[in-house]
Amino acid sequence: MTDASIHSPASGGKSSLLALDARTKRRNAAEARFRMYGISAVAAGVFFLVVLLGAILSNGVGAFQQTFLTVEVYLDPAKLDKKGQRDIADIKKVSTFGYTPLVQQGLFDQIEANGIETPLAKRKDMKALISASAAAQVRDFVIANPDRIGDKVEFRVLTSSRVDGYLKGRVTRESVARDKNIKPVHLDLVDSFTDLGIIKKEFNWSFITGADASESRAEQAGMGVSILGSFFMTLVVLALALPIGVAASIYLEEFAPQNRFTDLIEVNISNLAAVPSIVFGILGLAVFIQFAHLPQSAPLVGGLVLTLMTLPTIIISTRASLKSVPPSIRDAALGIGASKMQAVFHHVLPLAMPGILTGTIIGLAQALGETAPLLLIGMVGYIATNYPEGIASGFMDPNSAMPAQIYEWAKRADPAYYERAWGGIIILLVFLLTMNIIAIILRRRFERRW
Amino acid sequence: MYDVHTHRAETNVDDIKISANDVQVYYGDTHAIKDVSIEIEAKCVTAFIGPSGCGKSTFLRCLNRMNDTIDICRVEGQILLDEEDIYDKRVDPVQLRAKVGMVFQKPNPFPKSIYDNIAYGPRIHGLANSKADLDVIVEKSLRRGAIWDEVKDRLHAPGTGLSGGQQQRLCIARAVATEPEVLLMDEPCSALDPIATAQVEELIDELRQDYSVVIVTHSMQQAARVSQKTAFFHLGNLVEFGETGKIFTNPEDPRTESYITGRIG
């Protein structure tokens, strides 16, 4: 914009090369300004990225730690097996309600044993400290080991999410004042137990491997089942979108005649890539669930919907990488008598492979992080403790997906779920990052084969 | 140095290898080649010269039906190779191109090893029954491409790592490896320096013993140096065709004279 010069050297007398003329100065200043714009744009981008990552990490890392308490539980035969036959059917008749008092008693005994002074004088006061999942955990142990009834067994059980929040600084004495579930006296007791090592924060594997839990048991909720849901969904997308997308692109790019019809298809593929994902969701609801009667909330249906959504991305990137293969390679192959198909599959495709793989993996990553279409086919909701039993069930049973799980947690009232939503985002980002790294590695590997 | 071909019977230099009659080529609505009739002899180098855009490359690409790959291109008329119409419906262009090899303007080796570059053609046409056969073909082709001595120690190095002139000779060797009868060369030296050009020209002269070579060139000196017959194209017409010596010293058509003396083109 500044260097449209028709400068005649004869016009202004002799000019020195050592002194910049006004035009050159303006041009240099414009360039310097442009560099500044560029640097500030990059800096702004980096700043926002750092803020985003910082926020995610500071909010989410807490979810990977959980507070546990160690408690010795007396498996009272009088309560757990009244007939004394050790008959598994009889033992199973005792519900978790039968176990809750035993766990509470175990913890209550610790007060006296360690000489802690507390106004909490009743066994039931321990309820605020122990997760509701503890009784189920003890019951599962007893059913698996009926011969241990009558023994004192040490368990490591979850604390309630309020205690967990107190140790992580989320729950304070001020906030407890308005809380019905826990009182400051409980927190005093937690302090004493923490000093004794009975209550401890530890790394929480079950956040990564566990299933979702009910609204009142935030401490138990994990991403595991929804990770499996995402995994099965991604498998469906990979198995369908990659072959269909690559075959369609190869045909359109290398074989299809150039006419109105293929132009129309091209325009529509580009348009599909810009269609909001929720539209694919409602399409999936209408076609796969209402018309084809596939099961609701199943990763198979989720995968089909995400396949539709990913196909345009894969087709566009595959065609771009096929186009970038120089035509001289095609000529060379055709010139020595290779058929069109041989030219494409022996020469063009290997050269386009890195681009195709990158496009596919980026499409998959996009599908992995997609939430909106899943809302419409019911892949968001409460899926607790039912891990898929095998491959078929993995595809067909109701499940959630990682982003849907995060969305679900973010909706819930308990602030403990807010932390878990951030933690879930960290897991999701780790998956996406891994996929992108795989894309880069594959790209390098294939490029080395020139 | 060069193996003598034994499988062809004809020895008469005046044999007609390719004969084109009233060939018209259209690109969409553009009439690119008009009424071209020409007879190309076996075991002889024929040069196509003419200014840019005169249709000489287009006509060359008709001879092995490379124009088929361009959707809007339409060819009319008759082109006979050994008295068989190559545009007959029954002709598979793939088979035709194995018989009529092609070398392009820009050296275009495959991004594979030197060995695989040569071996690809014989492999897809089933010319070798064993690895040993293939080794023989590769060596023979590289020798015919006058590049064997330079690459024999690095057959498994990438072909794209060679210099421009070496790459072009590799491409010629690759074209020769499928045992073609005709070699089409589309400005094979335009991307090469003078030394590499001289090597390729020498090679073309040697290839004449076994093949019919048709070369498109921008350089009139090159046409004069390597060819026995020269065809001058102008604006899609074949203006003049005859012995190279006669075209350059005593052209019949005033347009040919203008071109070779540098007044048009």
Side-chain angles (χ1 to χ4, degrees), chain B:
Chain B
M1 183 171 173
Y2 296 98
D3 302 74
V4 177
H5 253 225
T6 49
H7 74 272
R8 260 185 288 128
E10 72 262 23
T11 45
N12 186 354
V13 175
D14 292 331
D15 270 359
I16 301 302
K17 192 68 189 168
I18 295 176
S19 137
N21 301 314
D22 292 330
V23 174
Q24 321 280 342
V25 180
Y26 302 88
Y27 283 119
D29 296 330
T30 316
H31 196 172
I33 296 284
K34 298 159 194 158
D35 296 322
V36 170
S37 299
I38 192 169
E39 292 190 330
I40 290 165
E41 289 170 18
K43 303 206 173 177
C44 159
V45 178
T46 306
F48 290 176
I49 61 169
S52 292
C54 67
K56 55 195 188 302
S57 286
T58 300
F59 184 68
L60 186 78
R61 291 168 68 94
C62 291
L63 301 182
N64 70 343
R65 291 183 61 176
M66 278 299 274
N67 284 334
D68 289 14
T69 60
I70 302 165
D71 279 335
I72 55 165
C73 183
R74 198 153 45 84
V75 180
E76 283 171 12
Q78 193 187 37
I79 299 176
L80 304 176
L81 172 70
D82 290 333
E83 275 143 29
E84 287 173 339
D85 185 2
I86 63 171
Y87 280 90
D88 191 288
K89 273 183 198 135
R90 287 166 295 179
V91 172
D92 185 341
V94 169
Q95 249 174 324
L96 170 70
R97 289 179 202 138
K99 272 189 165 186
V100 183
M102 187 155 193
V103 176
F104 297 85
Q105 182 171 0
K106 206 173 141 263
N108 55 356
F110 298 128
K112 295 174 187 287
S113 70
I114 293 168
Y115 184 95
D116 286 337
N117 260 286
I118 305 295
Y120 182 69
R123 270 193 197 127
I124 59 171
H125 294 299
L127 298 182
N129 296 319
S130 65
K131 178 82 173 65
D133 277 6
L134 202 56
D135 289 347
V136 171
I137 293 177
V138 168
E139 181 177 342
K140 199 167 77 175
S141 308
L142 286 171
R143 279 189 192 284
R144 268 201 216 134
I147 192 180
W148 170 253
D149 290 329
E150 289 157 68
V151 300
K152 64 182 174 198
D153 300 324
R154 45 171 174 157
L155 287 177
H156 294 282
T160 41
L162 297 172
S163 75
Q166 288 173 325
Q167 286 190 15
Q168 194 61 297
R169 279 179 284 147
L170 177 67
C171 291
I172 293 172
R174 180 178 66 188
V176 166
T178 55
E179 305 278 339
E181 293 160 26
V182 181
L183 264 184
L184 308 179
M185 297 188 172
D186 191 356
E187 299 181 35
C189 299
S190 65
L192 305 183
D193 66 43
I195 293 170
T197 301
Q199 286 167 328
V200 171
E201 283 179 6
E202 197 182 329
L203 172 60
I204 291 170
D205 200 45
E206 281 158 358
L207 290 171
R208 177 162 64 92
Q209 299 170 359
D210 300 312
Y211 309 99
S212 313
V213 179
V214 184
I215 177 169
V216 164
T217 177
H218 260 125
S219 154
M220 284 173 283
Q221 291 86 339
Q222 185 172 60
R225 281 194 300 264
V226 300
S227 71
Q228 286 75 50
K229 291 281 187 96
T230 297
F232 172 62
F233 285 79
H234 187 237
L235 301 176
N237 295 302
L238 174 60
V239 175
E240 195 167 345
F241 176 54
E243 297 289 334
T244 300
K246 182 167 176 300
I247 294 271
F248 279 96
T249 53
N250 188 19
E252 281 171 10
D253 195 285
R255 287 172 292 178
T256 315
E257 192 181 356
S258 309
Y259 182 69
I260 59 173
T261 53
R263 265 177 286 158
I264 57 168

